[in-house]
Tab-separated table of all heavy atoms in Angstrom:
chain	number	residue	atom	x	y	z
Y	721	TRP	N	38.841	66.197	-89.271
Y	721	TRP	CA	39.698	67.246	-89.821
Y	721	TRP	C	39.211	67.870	-91.078
Y	721	TRP	O	39.587	69.027	-91.393
Y	721	TRP	CB	41.079	66.608	-90.051
Y	721	TRP	CG	41.730	66.324	-88.725
Y	721	TRP	CD1	41.802	65.139	-88.017
Y	721	TRP	CD2	42.434	67.285	-87.919
Y	721	TRP	NE1	42.486	65.369	-86.862
Y	721	TRP	CE2	42.868	66.621	-86.738
Y	721	TRP	CE3	42.722	68.676	-88.096
Y	721	TRP	CZ2	43.528	67.272	-85.739
Y	721	TRP	CZ3	43.419	69.329	-87.063
Y	721	TRP	CH2	43.839	68.578	-85.910
Y	722	ASP	N	38.343	67.247	-91.821
Y	722	ASP	CA	37.666	67.907	-92.945
Y	722	ASP	C	36.851	69.058	-92.503
Y	722	ASP	O	36.819	70.129	-93.085
Y	722	ASP	CB	36.833	66.911	-93.728
Y	722	ASP	CG	37.642	65.858	-94.478
Y	722	ASP	OD1	38.783	66.229	-94.907
Y	722	ASP	OD2	37.203	64.704	-94.564
Y	723	GLU	N	36.203	68.821	-91.327
Y	723	GLU	CA	35.374	69.926	-90.715
Y	723	GLU	C	36.287	71.070	-90.243
Y	723	GLU	O	35.875	72.267	-90.373
Y	723	GLU	CB	34.548	69.379	-89.574
Y	723	GLU	CG	33.634	70.369	-88.965
Y	723	GLU	CD	32.800	69.739	-87.783
Y	723	GLU	OE1	32.640	68.504	-87.794
Y	723	GLU	OE2	32.400	70.528	-86.909
Y	724	GLN	N	37.449	70.705	-89.768
Y	724	GLN	CA	38.386	71.786	-89.262
Y	724	GLN	C	38.848	72.591	-90.487
Y	724	GLN	O	39.112	73.838	-90.290
Y	724	GLN	CB	39.587	71.121	-88.632
Y	724	GLN	CG	39.237	70.359	-87.292
Y	724	GLN	CD	38.591	71.313	-86.249
Y	724	GLN	OE1	39.090	72.395	-86.036
Y	724	GLN	NE2	37.472	70.817	-85.695
Y	725	VAL	N	39.004	72.029	-91.617
Y	725	VAL	CA	39.389	72.809	-92.848
Y	725	VAL	C	38.298	73.842	-93.100
Y	725	VAL	O	38.602	74.972	-93.399
Y	725	VAL	CB	39.584	71.825	-94.077
Y	725	VAL	CG1	39.681	72.679	-95.339
Y	725	VAL	CG2	40.818	71.060	-93.817
Y	726	MET	N	37.048	73.404	-93.025
Y	726	MET	CA	35.918	74.361	-93.259
Y	726	MET	C	35.933	75.458	-92.251
Y	726	MET	O	35.665	76.628	-92.591
Y	726	MET	CB	34.550	73.604	-93.289
Y	726	MET	CG	34.434	72.560	-94.341
Y	726	MET	SD	34.567	73.298	-96.007
Y	726	MET	CE	33.142	74.377	-95.980
Y	727	ILE	N	36.153	75.142	-90.980
Y	727	ILE	CA	36.137	76.166	-89.881
Y	727	ILE	C	37.258	77.161	-90.190
Y	727	ILE	O	37.063	78.363	-89.985
Y	727	ILE	CB	36.336	75.490	-88.522
Y	727	ILE	CG1	35.069	74.655	-88.231
Y	727	ILE	CG2	36.567	76.517	-87.478
Y	727	ILE	CD1	35.204	73.780	-86.965
Y	728	ALA	N	38.431	76.677	-90.537
Y	728	ALA	CA	39.547	77.582	-90.848
Y	728	ALA	C	39.209	78.505	-92.030
Y	728	ALA	O	39.539	79.672	-91.984
Y	728	ALA	CB	40.844	76.727	-91.144
Y	729	ARG	N	38.610	77.912	-93.032
Y	729	ARG	CA	38.289	78.738	-94.210
Y	729	ARG	C	37.216	79.787	-93.858
Y	729	ARG	O	37.324	80.947	-94.299
Y	729	ARG	CB	37.733	77.848	-95.298
Y	729	ARG	CG	37.478	78.509	-96.644
Y	729	ARG	CD	38.665	79.253	-97.160
Y	729	ARG	NE	39.837	78.406	-97.200
Y	729	ARG	CZ	40.235	77.641	-98.217
Y	729	ARG	NH1	39.462	77.636	-99.283
Y	729	ARG	NH2	41.327	76.894	-98.192
Y	730	ILE	N	36.265	79.472	-93.027
Y	730	ILE	CA	35.243	80.461	-92.540
Y	730	ILE	C	35.976	81.565	-91.786
Y	730	ILE	O	35.635	82.743	-91.963
Y	730	ILE	CB	34.152	79.772	-91.716
Y	730	ILE	CG1	33.330	78.852	-92.624
Y	730	ILE	CG2	33.316	80.764	-91.045
Y	730	ILE	CD1	32.351	77.929	-91.837
Y	731	ARG	N	36.855	81.174	-90.918
Y	731	ARG	CA	37.580	82.166	-90.111
Y	731	ARG	C	38.367	83.126	-90.972
Y	731	ARG	O	38.356	84.364	-90.764
Y	731	ARG	CB	38.505	81.473	-89.039
Y	731	ARG	CG	39.263	82.475	-88.184
Y	731	ARG	CD	40.261	81.719	-87.272
Y	731	ARG	NE	39.544	80.945	-86.281
Y	731	ARG	CZ	39.681	79.631	-86.134
Y	731	ARG	NH1	40.404	78.913	-86.989
Y	731	ARG	NH2	39.011	79.014	-85.168
Y	732	ILE	N	39.057	82.596	-91.963
Y	732	ILE	CA	39.870	83.408	-92.829
Y	732	ILE	C	38.958	84.396	-93.656
Y	732	ILE	O	39.291	85.568	-93.787
Y	732	ILE	CB	40.733	82.540	-93.769
Y	732	ILE	CG1	41.780	81.788	-92.954
Y	732	ILE	CG2	41.374	83.408	-94.862
Y	732	ILE	CD1	42.448	80.658	-93.741
Y	733	ASN	N	37.933	83.818	-94.228
Y	733	ASN	CA	36.971	84.661	-95.051
Y	733	ASN	C	36.283	85.713	-94.236
Y	733	ASN	O	35.956	86.797	-94.751
Y	733	ASN	CB	35.963	83.728	-95.704
Y	733	ASN	CG	36.592	82.882	-96.771
Y	733	ASN	OD1	37.646	83.178	-97.342
Y	733	ASN	ND2	35.923	81.786	-97.134
Y	734	ARG	N	36.082	85.404	-92.947
Y	734	ARG	CA	35.286	86.348	-92.138
Y	734	ARG	C	36.116	87.507	-91.648
Y	734	ARG	O	35.697	88.655	-91.557
Y	734	ARG	CB	34.744	85.598	-90.904
Y	734	ARG	CG	33.881	86.466	-89.999
Y	734	ARG	CD	33.492	85.637	-88.796
Y	734	ARG	NE	32.620	86.408	-87.884
Y	734	ARG	CZ	32.325	85.999	-86.663
Y	734	ARG	NH1	32.692	84.818	-86.247
Y	734	ARG	NH2	31.508	86.782	-85.901
Y	735	TRP	N	37.425	87.238	-91.397
Y	735	TRP	CA	38.311	88.211	-90.766
Y	735	TRP	C	39.168	88.982	-91.784
Y	735	TRP	O	39.780	89.976	-91.422
Y	735	TRP	CB	39.223	87.582	-89.699
Y	735	TRP	CG	38.419	87.192	-88.489
Y	735	TRP	CD1	37.132	87.159	-88.347
Y	735	TRP	CD2	39.028	86.911	-87.241
Y	735	TRP	NE1	36.813	86.812	-87.038
Y	735	TRP	CE2	37.980	86.661	-86.327
Y	735	TRP	CE3	40.354	86.814	-86.711
Y	735	TRP	CZ2	38.162	86.337	-84.972
Y	735	TRP	CZ3	40.530	86.501	-85.402
Y	735	TRP	CH2	39.461	86.243	-84.510
Y	736	SER	N	39.369	88.420	-92.933
Y	736	SER	CA	40.254	89.078	-93.868
Y	736	SER	C	39.815	88.973	-95.309
Y	736	SER	O	39.673	87.856	-95.774
Y	736	SER	CB	41.697	88.547	-93.739
Y	736	SER	OG	41.754	87.208	-93.991
Y	737	LYS	N	39.553	90.126	-95.929
Y	737	LYS	CA	39.230	90.120	-97.352
Y	737	LYS	C	39.912	91.338	-97.988
Y	737	LYS	O	40.220	92.290	-97.306
Y	737	LYS	CB	37.755	90.221	-97.547
Y	737	LYS	CG	36.968	88.954	-97.094
Y	737	LYS	CD	35.500	89.076	-97.391
Y	737	LYS	CE	34.794	87.815	-96.896
Y	737	LYS	NZ	33.367	87.905	-97.106
Y	738	VAL	N	40.127	91.250	-99.274
Y	738	VAL	CA	40.755	92.343	-99.998
Y	738	VAL	C	39.766	92.892	-101.027
Y	738	VAL	O	39.211	92.122	-101.748
Y	738	VAL	CB	42.077	91.908	-100.744
Y	738	VAL	CG1	42.673	93.019	-101.515
Y	738	VAL	CG2	43.051	91.378	-99.682
Y	739	ASP	N	39.572	94.190	-101.054
Y	739	ASP	CA	38.679	94.837	-101.984
Y	739	ASP	C	39.370	94.879	-103.354
Y	739	ASP	O	40.462	95.453	-103.502
Y	739	ASP	CB	38.400	96.289	-101.527
Y	739	ASP	CG	37.287	96.948	-102.327
Y	739	ASP	OD1	37.185	96.642	-103.548
Y	739	ASP	OD2	36.582	97.718	-101.756
Y	740	PRO	N	38.883	94.181	-104.363
Y	740	PRO	CA	39.558	94.088	-105.669
Y	740	PRO	C	39.647	95.445	-106.383
Y	740	PRO	O	40.486	95.567	-107.291
Y	740	PRO	CB	38.639	93.088	-106.441
Y	740	PRO	CG	37.283	93.229	-105.813
Y	740	PRO	CD	37.539	93.561	-104.383
Y	741	ASP	N	38.828	96.436	-106.041
Y	741	ASP	CA	38.927	97.739	-106.727
Y	741	ASP	C	40.095	98.514	-106.345
Y	741	ASP	O	40.826	99.045	-107.182
Y	741	ASP	CB	37.630	98.501	-106.488
Y	741	ASP	CG	36.411	97.801	-107.091
Y	741	ASP	OD1	36.558	97.173	-108.103
Y	741	ASP	OD2	35.260	97.966	-106.546
Side-chain angles (χ1 to χ4, degrees):
W721 288 96
D722 291 326
E723 183 180 336
Q724 295 302 312
V725 168
M726 295 301 297
I727 293 171
R729 186 56 51 89
I730 291 169
R731 180 183 291 119
I732 293 166
N733 290 338
R734 184 183 180 190
W735 287 16
S736 60
K737 292 182 181 179
V738 177
D739 191 326
D741 295 329

